């Protein structure tokens, strides 16, 4: 028979066997890794044959097949040693030149430096033939340093009368040529050629310094150096040379162009602007030549640089004798003309760079003119501090809060904005023809064309907004002009949105709404301007809301635009009502019913629109004047009661509609009850029960009848208003009453109501009665609690609070379950 062990014993056997197999597998993997390291030597240097494997004599924590310890590589140590040796020799050579040079004769000096330099220059050739490239690199670097010391020694001994700058220019040119030839002779050395390129950056600049050249001379020297670097970057064979030359070209070229641009902007006559323009055109030619054969990103950058240089050169000459304020439109037109160069037979990245340059010039011109548009839009905010104080003395400029001669320098801003708008609009309108003319170098995507179509009307509107202040319009003329502009923007928005031209339509709508806000603030300066302006805005915004109306399944964005326009119309009506109240009544609170007239109109509109998506927005906007009316009536409590009652009437009228009944019905009840309370307090009533009980008893009777006919009706609907009508005013009176009968009677009544709610499972009775009972008890017990707390030691209340927290924390889960159970019980009540 075959013996089968028990399951527990068999499981233990299997675990031990699996552990043994895992240990064996790990040993084999370690052995395999070591064998692979032996059979695959590093590529840098040959590896000697591996010795036969011998197991270690003693146990090892890594097992008998552990790999040998890693050997330290020799390449890093060799480089460290060679670098340190070269540095020490360099320090010795410098010390010899500076310290020991003067103790030797001219022959000794020449012999020593010549022999050492020639030996250092010849050494790398022999070392390279023997394969010692690292040693050759170190010796080559030392030779280059010795050549610099030779030049210094030559200047100190043989040519002391030569100027330092001129000798440095000549020696740097000689050294650059010598190092370049040396690097070409020993092609395997990596240092001499990049070092020659770096040294080649100095001769022309040092020569200009030695010659006492002006800014233009330094500019030509920098651009000449950049041209040399560009040639090396294009024609160079090794990557280090090309990278070094490219970095030098960008550095010296940008410095030279910065000098030329500074001179061009400072020129005040055409002859003074010609030489900087020539510098800029030369820089453009260098950038264009380098970008012609450069890879993608560099070619685009070169095209951008060339385009900007050309615009700056031409614009600088044209603007030399003009007012600086008018130079921005000139540069903008030059940037637009630059797009004509995109048609030239240029590589595609270069053409794209020219297009980006033209776009950048246009963006810079718009940014230069934008502050005036922002001022024209936000300046009327200052009228909030002087509402109806009269028309500003300085017309449109005074309405913006800025007067004086500062406006003389802003005359070109509207021209700039309108020109940019015209160019963008033309490009968007004839975009297909423009793409065919420009070829593959200029192909903006849908997002780019959409941005152009949206920006064109915005720039046009911004330019027109600035005209009244720039031209010095009077206040009435400025108000009329801004009114026409707002109406035109809204008309364009409606036309574009109805035709489906969304980019321009949305931009025009935003501009029209922003202009409406600015115009409304502007009209607050004078009473006679406020009424016609807000009437026009009311009609215009209401027309937009009506014209954008459509099927219920229309585009969501159009529904949002319609809702915003409708809410804006309600705001304009609210301002008109408030202004009428201010004109008719000196007391602000008596104008509150006029604001409620706006709310009444929105209630009627909501009932008329009903299923339209814009209806909720209109009704919510109509609630704002009602809230303002209540706030205005707060100083006079009888009038406040009247306003609250009128608001209750409007809410009750809204509750007639089935879809608004839940929210509006409760709101109407709350407003009526609150109006009654306010009226009672305003009349100095000290016993509110005499007025509230006659209302509560029939209200409760009606609630009982309602519950009998409809058992599913909520207790809040049946009894909530009736109970609150008496209990809440009585509670307020009890808190203000120092005697005991009223609190006692109120507490007894609240206790009965609470017990009835618990017995009958009626939520309204339980919650209202319990809340009133708790607050009444707090009022009655508060003095005794204060006395007890004052008599206790000060450490006892915190200790009791801590114990309470500990108990609650220890039984937190149970308390949470109890709270949830209580919540479910209350929710199940009617």
């Amino acid at each position: 028979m075959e013996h089968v062990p028990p399951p527990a014993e068999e499981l233990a056997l299997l675990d031990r066997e699996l552990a043994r197999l895992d240990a064996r597998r790990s040993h084999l993997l370690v052995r395999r890794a070591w064998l692979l390291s032996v059979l695959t030597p590093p590529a840098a240097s040959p590896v000697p044959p591996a010795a036969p494997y011998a197991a270690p004599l003693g146990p090892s924590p890594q097992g008998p097949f552990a790999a040998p310890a890693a050997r330290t590589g020799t390449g890093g140590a060799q480089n460290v040693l060679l670098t340190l040796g070269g540095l020490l020799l360099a320090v010795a050579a410098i010390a010899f030149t500076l310290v020991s040079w003067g103790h030797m004769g001219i022959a000794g000096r020449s012999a020593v430096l010549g022999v050492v330099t020639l030996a250092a220059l010849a050494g790398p050739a022999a070392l390279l033939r023997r394969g010692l490239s690292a040693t050759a690199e170190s010796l080559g670097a030392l030779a280059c340093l010795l050549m610099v010391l030779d030049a210094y020694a030559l200047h100190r001994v043989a040519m002391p009368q030569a100027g330092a700058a001129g000798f440095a220019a000549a020696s740097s040119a000689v050294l650059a040529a010598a190092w370049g030839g040396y690097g070409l002779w020993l092609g395997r050395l990596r240092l001499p050629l990049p070092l020659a390129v770096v040294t080649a950056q100095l001769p022309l600049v040092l020569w200009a310094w030695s010659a006492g050249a002006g800014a233009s001379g330094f500019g030509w020297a920098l651009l000449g150096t950049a041209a040399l670097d560009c040639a090396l970057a294009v024609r160079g064979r090794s990557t280090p040379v090309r990278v070094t030359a490219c970095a030098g070209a960008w550095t010296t070229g940008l410095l030279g162009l910065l000098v030329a641009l500074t001179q061009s902007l400072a020129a005040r006559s055409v002859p003074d602007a010609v030489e900087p323009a020539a510098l800029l055109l030369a820089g453009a030619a260098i950038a264009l030549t380098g970008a012609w054969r450069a890879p993608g990103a560099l070619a685009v950058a070169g095209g951008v640089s060339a385009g900007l240089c050309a615009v700056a050169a031409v614009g600088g000459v044209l603007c030399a004798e003009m007012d600086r304020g008018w130079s921005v439109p000139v540069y903008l037109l030059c940037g637009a003309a630059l797009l004509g160069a995109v048609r030239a037979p240029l590589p595609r990245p270069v053409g794209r760079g020219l297009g980006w340059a033209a776009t950048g010039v246009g963006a810079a011109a718009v940014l230069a003119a934008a502050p005036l548009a922002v001022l024209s839009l936000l300046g009327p905010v200052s009228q909030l501090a002087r509402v109806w104080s009269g028309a500003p003395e300085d017309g449109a400029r005074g309405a913006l809060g800025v007067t004086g001669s500062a406006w003389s320098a802003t005359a070109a801003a509207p021209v700039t904005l309108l020109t940019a708008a015209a160019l963008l609009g033309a490009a968007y309108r004839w975009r297909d023809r423009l793409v065919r003319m420009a070829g593959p170098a200029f192909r903006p995507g849908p997002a780019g064309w959409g941005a152009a179509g949206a920006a064109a009307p915005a720039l046009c509107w911004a330019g027109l907004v600035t005209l009244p202040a720039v031209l010095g319009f009077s206040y009435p003329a400025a108000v009329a002009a801004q009114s026409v502009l707002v109406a035109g923007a809204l008309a364009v928005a409606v036309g574009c949105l109805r035709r489906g031209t969304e980019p321009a339509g949305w931009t025009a709508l935003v501009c029209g709404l922003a202009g409406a806000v600015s115009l409304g603030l502007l009209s607050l300066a004078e009473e006679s301007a406020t009424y016609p302006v807000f009437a026009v805005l009311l009609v215009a915004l209401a027309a937009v809301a009506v014209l954008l109306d459509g099927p219920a399944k229309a585009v969501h964005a159009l529904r949002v635009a319609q809702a915003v326009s409708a809410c804006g119309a309600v705001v304009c009506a609210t301002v008109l009502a408030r202004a009428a109240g201010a004109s008719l009544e000196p007391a602000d609170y008596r104008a509150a019913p006029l604001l409620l007239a706006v709310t009444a109109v929105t209630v009627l509109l909501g009932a008329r629109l009903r299923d339209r998506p814009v209806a909720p927005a209109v009704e919510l906007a109509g609630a704002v004047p009602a809230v303002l009316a209540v706030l205005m009536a707060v100083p006079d409590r009888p009038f406040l009661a009247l306003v609250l009652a009128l608001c209750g009437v409007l809410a009750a009228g809204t509750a007639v509609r089935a879809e608004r009944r839940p929210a509006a019905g409760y709101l109407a009840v709350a407003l009526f009850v609150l109006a009654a309370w306010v009226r009672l307090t305003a009349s100095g009533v000290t016993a509110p029960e005499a007025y509230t009980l006659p209302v509560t008893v029939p209200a409760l009777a009606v609630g009982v009848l309602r519950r009998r006919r409809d058992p599913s009706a909520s207790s809040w609907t049946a009894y909530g208003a009736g109970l609150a009508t008496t209990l809440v005013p009585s509670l307020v009176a009890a808190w203000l009453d120092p005697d005991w009968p009223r609190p006692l009677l109120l507490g007894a009544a609240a206790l009965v109501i609470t017990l009835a709610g618990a017995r009958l499972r009626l939520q309204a009775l339980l919650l209202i009665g319990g809340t009133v009972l708790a607050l009444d008890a707090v009022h009655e017990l508060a003095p005794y609690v204060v006395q007890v707390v004052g008599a206790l030691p000060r450490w006892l209340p915190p200790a009791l609070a801590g114990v309470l927290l500990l108990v609650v924390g220890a039984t937190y889960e149970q308390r949470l379950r109890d709270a949830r159970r209580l919540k479910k019980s209350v929710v199940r009540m009617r």
Side-chain angles (χ1 to χ4, degrees):
M1 287 180 65
E2 181 179 0
H3 173 68
V4 178
E9 183 179 353
E10 184 178 3
L11 180 61
L13 291 174
L14 291 176
D15 289 339
R16 286 196 295 270
E17 185 66 18
L18 289 173
R20 188 178 64 81
L21 291 175
D22 288 339
R24 178 62 177 170
R25 185 174 183 274
S26 64
H27 292 166
L28 293 175
L29 288 175
V30 170
R31 176 64 177 174
R32 180 178 181 275
W34 181 78
L35 291 173
L36 287 175
S37 66
V38 171
L39 296 175
T40 309
S45 60
V47 177
Y53 173 76
L57 297 177
S60 172
Q62 300 168 336
F65 297 101
R71 301 177 181 177
T72 305
T74 59
Q78 180 186 14
N79 291 334
V80 171
L81 292 175
L82 290 173
T83 303
L84 290 176
L87 288 176
L88 290 175
L89 288 175
V91 171
I94 293 173
F96 169 76
T97 304
L98 296 178
V99 178
S100 301
W101 184 262
H103 301 289
M104 300 178 64
I106 186 62
R109 302 169 188 173
S110 303
V112 170
L113 276 180
V115 170
V116 173
T117 304
L118 290 176
L121 289 172
L127 293 173
L128 288 175
R129 284 195 297 268
R130 296 177 180 271
L132 302 175
S133 57
T135 308
E137 288 287 352
S138 298
L139 192 58
L142 178 62
C144 294
L145 178 61
L146 288 174
M147 294 178 70
V148 175
L149 296 177
D150 287 341
Y152 171 73
L154 182 62
H155 177 256
R156 289 292 302 273
V157 175
M159 306 175 66
Q161 72 281 0
F167 185 84
S171 59
S172 59
V174 173
L175 287 175
W179 288 339
Y182 186 65
L184 293 175
W185 176 48
L186 299 176
R188 293 172 60 184
L189 287 182
R190 291 174 293 181
L191 180 63
L193 287 178
L195 186 60
V197 175
V198 173
T199 309
Q201 312 302 309
L202 303 176
L204 292 179
V205 177
L206 292 175
W207 171 81
W209 184 19
S210 66
S216 299
F218 275 98
W220 284 112
L222 289 168
L223 289 181
T225 306
L228 176 62
D229 291 331
C230 186
L232 292 174
V234 171
R235 300 291 182 180
R237 297 181 180 179
S238 64
T239 301
V241 171
R242 300 180 68 178
V243 171
T244 306
C246 186
W250 280 104
T251 303
T252 57
L254 290 177
L255 289 175
L257 293 176
L258 181 62
V259 172
L261 181 62
T262 303
Q263 285 190 304
S264 178
L265 295 176
R268 289 294 180 267
S269 63
V270 174
D272 294 338
V274 169
E275 188 172 6
L279 273 171
L280 291 169
L281 291 177
I286 294 171
L288 196 61
T289 303
W292 201 283
R293 296 183 57 183
L298 288 176
V300 174
V304 171
S305 301
L308 294 178
C309 290
V311 171
V314 178
V317 174
L318 295 177
C319 300
E321 297 185 0
M322 296 174 58
D323 189 342
R324 286 304 173 187
W326 289 94
S327 61
V328 177
V330 174
Y331 282 108
L332 176 62
L333 293 175
C334 292
L338 181 63
L339 288 175
V342 178
R343 299 187 59 189
L346 299 172
R348 185 172 181 177
V350 179
R352 189 180 299 114
L354 293 176
W356 280 110
T359 304
V361 172
V366 170
L367 289 177
L372 182 60
V374 174
L375 176 62
S376 301
L377 184 64
L378 300 181
V381 175
S382 61
Q383 298 303 320
L384 291 174
R386 47 179 185 272
V387 176
W388 289 2
S389 59
E393 296 181 358
D394 202 12
R397 298 176 180 179
L400 300 182
V402 180
T403 58
S405 60
W407 292 95
S408 60
T410 61
V415 177
T416 301
L417 294 172
L418 293 175
T419 302
L423 293 174
L424 277 177
Y428 182 76
R429 175 65 179 83
W430 294 289
R431 54 187 179 275
D432 296 333
R433 184 181 303 177
L434 181 62
V435 169
R436 287 196 302 269
M437 292 172 58
F442 185 73
R443 291 188 181 276
W449 288 121
L459 293 176
C460 180
W461 172 79
L464 294 176
V465 162
T466 60
L467 283 177
V470 171
L471 298 179
F473 281 13
S474 63
Y475 177 75
V479 171
Q482 297 288 12
S483 302
V484 173
L485 182 59
V486 170
L490 294 177
V492 172
V494 171
C496 292
L497 291 176
R498 288 172 65 90
R499 289 195 303 269
T501 312
E502 291 193 359
W506 284 112
T507 304
L509 180 61
V510 172
C511 293
L513 294 176
V517 175
S518 178
L519 175 61
L521 294 174
L522 184 65
S523 67
L524 295 178
E526 197 170 29
E527 182 178 1
S528 60
T530 302
Y531 291 104
V533 165
F534 277 96
V536 170
L537 292 178
L538 172 61
V539 173
L541 292 173
V544 171
V546 172
L547 293 174
L548 291 180
D549 193 15
K553 296 183 179 179
V555 181
H556 176 69
L558 290 181
R559 302 280 72 81
V560 172
Q562 184 185 16
V564 171
S565 302
C567 293
V570 174
V571 172
C572 292
T574 304
V575 174
L576 286 174
R578 180 66 186 89
S583 299
L584 296 176
E585 290 287 346
D588 290 340
Y589 66 88
R590 294 189 179 276
L594 293 176
L595 294 177
L596 293 181
V598 179
T599 304
V601 173
T602 59
V603 170
L604 296 176
L605 283 176
R608 177 69 177 84
L609 297 173
R610 194 172 290 270
D611 297 331
R612 295 288 185 180
V614 73
V618 172
E619 292 179 279
L620 288 176
V624 174
V627 174
L628 294 177
V630 172
L631 295 177
M632 289 172 60
V634 167
D636 189 88
R637 283 188 291 176
F639 206 83
L640 176 61
L642 173 62
V643 171
L644 289 173
L646 293 176
C647 292
V649 171
L650 294 176
T654 306
V656 174
R657 298 160 51 194
E659 67 274 11
R660 299 286 186 263
R661 187 167 301 156
Y666 289 121
L667 180 60
V669 171
L671 288 171
F672 282 132
V673 173
L674 184 59
W677 296 340
V678 172
R679 184 59 194 165
L680 290 176
T681 57
S683 300
V685 174
T686 58
E689 293 83 3
Y691 298 90
T692 58
L693 281 176
V695 177
T696 296
V697 173
L700 293 178
V702 172
V704 171
L705 295 176
R706 170 70 185 276
R707 289 274 297 172
R708 285 183 179 179
R709 293 183 179 181
D710 184 11
S712 62
S714 171
S715 62
W716 290 97
T717 304
Y719 309 117
L723 290 174
T725 300
T726 294
L727 291 179
V728 175
S730 298
L731 179 62
V732 174
W735 271 63
L736 301 176
D737 193 351
D739 297 327
W740 60 271
R742 186 193 300 274
L744 179 60
L745 294 175
L746 178 63
L751 178 61
V752 172
I753 294 172
T754 304
L755 294 177
R759 176 68 179 82
L760 301 176
R761 302 185 63 80
L762 297 177
Q763 189 181 98
L765 275 68
L766 179 63
L767 293 182
I768 294 177
T771 302
V772 172
L773 179 61
L775 293 175
D776 185 63
V778 168
H779 174 262
E780 292 303 308
L781 295 176
Y784 303 101
V785 172
V786 170
Q787 292 178 5
V788 171
V789 171
L792 292 176
R794 294 190 176 184
W795 58 266
L796 189 57
L800 293 176
V803 171
L804 178 62
L805 290 176
L806 289 176
V807 172
V808 174
T811 60
Y812 176 74
E813 294 296 334
Q814 182 62 35
R815 301 286 80 78
L816 189 60
R817 286 193 294 270
D818 295 341
R820 290 173 178 169
R821 192 180 303 112
L822 178 62
K823 178 184 176 182
K824 291 179 181 178
S825 300
V826 174
V827 169
R828 283 197 296 268
M829 294 181 180
R830 291 192 176 275

